[in-house]
């Protein structure tokens, strides 16, 4: 599982291809300029939703985390399959 705040990953086709090929489960925090403490707080508040998505979806996938703790699948296994 990958946790990041680099939303540019979703815009870079080469990175999306690598996620698809590596069978990664990626969670991207998409809020803008946040302090380190804000990032930690959002990830901690979202951990139950992250766990549920991880258990309920086959890799690879890319999910986005929004403030305060909304987590949604952005690209699922089927959509990422076209990059493999």
């Amino acid at each position: 599982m990958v946790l990041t705040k680099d939303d540019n990953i979703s815009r870079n086709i080469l990175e999306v291809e690598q996620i698809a090929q590596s069978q990664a489960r990626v969670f991207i925090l998409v809020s803008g300029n946040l302090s380190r403490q804000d990032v930690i707080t959002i990830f901690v508040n979202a951990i139950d939703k992250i766990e549920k998505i991880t258990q309920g979806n086959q890799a690879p996938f890319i999910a986005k985390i929004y403030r305060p703790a909304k987590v949604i699948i952005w690209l699922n296994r089927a959509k990422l399959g076209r990059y493999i």
Side-chain angles (χ1 to χ4, degrees):
M1 178 172 41
V2 177
L3 299 174
T4 183
K5 64 177 198 162
D6 182 5
D7 192 30
N8 289 325
I9 288 173
S10 62
R11 294 182 187 93
N12 185 319
I13 193 68
L14 295 175
E15 290 178 345
V16 172
E17 287 174 351
Q18 288 301 309
I19 289 167
Q21 292 172 7
S22 69
Q23 298 294 303
R25 293 176 170 113
V26 178
F27 292 87
I28 302 171
L29 178 59
V30 295
S31 296
N33 296 322
L34 298 171
S35 69
R36 182 180 305 159
Q37 187 59 49
D38 288 338
V39 171
I40 292 167
T41 300
I42 293 168
F43 279 135
V44 167
N45 289 339
I47 196 70
D48 290 338
K49 293 175 184 174
I50 290 169
E51 177 91 15
K52 187 174 183 177
I53 287 176
T54 299
Q55 291 177 354
N57 294 277
Q58 287 186 316
F61 63 77
I62 300 173
K64 294 191 175 187
I65 302 171
Y66 299 89
R67 291 175 103 173
K70 180 180 176 184
V71 183
I72 60 166
I73 295 285
W74 180 65
L75 290 175
N76 63 16
R77 180 182 179 88
K79 290 179 182 175
L80 284 172
R82 66 181 174 206
Y83 295 101
I84 297 175

